[in-house]
């Protein structure tokens, strides 16, 4: 049972899907740089990702990177502190992209576990943007109680509106995520409701899928 699997930690599974068929149908998404990309964490801030609880890994084929959380949980009710209803994480990533390529985030896969009493609800939010750019991609997902199971959502960007990294420039990539547990009409004196996006297993992670395109050549 999902409630037993939780056991004080939360099982969030890797949802390693590929880009949508629509994405593959567009020329800018067909090219993947042959050279390895490197992602390093510049800063990590937020109650959902204390120091040492978030890790980044790039897939060998340069099509995705994963973020693994180990303490990302929002809850209300018995055993909760007043501030536990909302948890967030802000990741500032330095992405070293092979010369001549630009990237965007075409889709993101999230999974986690939630236990919501009748009358309670939860929210998962995420936004992404490149440093110095005003354009932001954001998504929100709602969950209603009663609920006691794994959850999964996928944010897929419209091809025409994806935010591309500037060609020839090193811009940090920012990821802001948030979890909220809302008590609603549930009995918080006798029950606990929570939503989590963390993992006790280093092999399971949130997955961010790249889209790639070649930058215009400077040659005359």
């Amino acid at each position: 049972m999902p409630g037993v699997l939780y056991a004080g930690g939360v099982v969030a599974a890797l949802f390693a899907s590929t880009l949508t068929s629509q994405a593959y149908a567009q020329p800018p998404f067909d090219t993947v740089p042959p050279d390895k990309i490197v992602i390093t964490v510049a800063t990590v801030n937020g109650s959902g990702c204390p120091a040492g609880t978030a890790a980044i890994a790039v897939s060998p084929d340069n099509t995705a990177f994963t973020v693994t959380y180990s303490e990302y949980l929002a809850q209300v009710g018995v055993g909760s502190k007043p501030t536990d209803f909302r948890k967030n994480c802000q990741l500032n990533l330095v992405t070293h992209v092979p010369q001549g390529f630009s990237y965007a985030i075409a889709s993101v896969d999230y999974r986690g576990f939630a236990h919501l009493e009748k009358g309670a609800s939860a929210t998962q939010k995420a936004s992404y943007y490149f440093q110095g750019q005003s354009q932001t991609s954001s998504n929100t997902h709602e969950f209603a109680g009663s609920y006691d199971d794994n959850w999964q959502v996928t944010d897929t960007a419209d091809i025409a509106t994806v935010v591309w990294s500037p060609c020839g420039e090193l811009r940090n990539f920012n990821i802001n995520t948030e979890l909220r547990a809302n008590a609603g009409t549930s009995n918080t004196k006798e029950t606990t409701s929570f939503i989590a996006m963390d993992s006790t297993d280093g092999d399971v992670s949130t997955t961010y899928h790249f889209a790639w395109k070649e930058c215009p050549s400077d040659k005359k």
Side-chain angles (χ1 to χ4, degrees), residues 137-148:
S137 176
S138 61
N139 295 276
T140 301
H141 300 277
E142 305 286 346
F143 305 87
S146 56
Y147 189 92
D148 185 47

Side-chain angles (χ1 to χ4, degrees), residues 26 76 91 119 126 138 159 165 168 203:
Q26 301 297 319
V76 290
L91 298 176
S138 61
I159 294 174
S165 63
D203 292 332

Side-chain angles (χ1 to χ4, degrees), residues 17 27 29 39 61 89-90 93 110 134 136 139-140 169 184 195:
S17 65
F29 292 78
I39 297 178
D61 60 2
C89 183
Q90 299 177 337
L93 307 179
Y110 295 100
S134 59
T136 301
N139 295 276
T140 301
E169 297 182 34
I195 181 171

Side-chain angles (χ1 to χ4, degrees), residues 40-207:
T40 56
V41 179
T43 59
V44 179
N45 293 296
S47 54
C49 53
T53 65
I56 311 294
V58 180
S59 66
D61 60 2
N62 283 352
T63 61
F65 71 93
T66 59
V67 181
T68 303
Y69 302 100
S70 59
E71 294 184 16
Y72 206 159
L73 179 147
Q75 62 180 354
V76 290
V78 178
S80 302
K81 295 180 293 186
T83 57
D84 286 346
F85 80 97
R86 177 185 179 273
K87 293 297 177 71
N88 76 302
C89 183
Q90 299 177 337
L91 298 176
N92 185 283
L93 307 179
V94 180
T95 306
H96 300 274
V97 178
Q99 186 174 3
F101 284 88
S102 174
Y103 77 93
I105 300 301
S107 65
V108 187
D109 303 319
Y110 295 100
R111 288 188 70 175
F113 187 89
H115 173 84
L116 302 173
E117 294 289 329
K118 183 178 180 180
S121 62
T123 303
Q124 184 265 337
K125 296 182 180 181
S127 63
Y128 329 97
Y129 65 95
F130 290 100
Q131 186 175 8
Q133 291 186 343
S134 59
Q135 189 176 3
T136 301
S137 176
S138 61
N139 295 276
T140 301
H141 300 277
E142 305 286 346
F143 305 87
S146 56
Y147 189 92
D148 185 47
D149 205 347
N150 296 308
W151 61 267
Q152 68 177 55
V153 295
T154 298
D155 296 340
T156 303
D158 182 87
I159 294 174
T161 61
V162 292
V163 183
W164 293 95
S165 63
C167 285
E169 297 182 34
L170 181 61
R171 295 280 186 89
N172 288 12
F173 183 63
N174 294 275
I175 301 172
N176 297 327
T177 56
E178 177 183 327
L179 294 178
R180 284 180 181 259
N182 309 300
T185 59
S186 65
N187 185 348
T188 56
K189 294 183 179 180
E190 296 182 2
T191 65
T192 302
S193 294
F194 66 84
I195 181 171
M197 191 168 60
D198 64 3
S199 169
T200 55
D201 185 341
D203 292 332
V204 294
S205 315
T206 297
T207 307

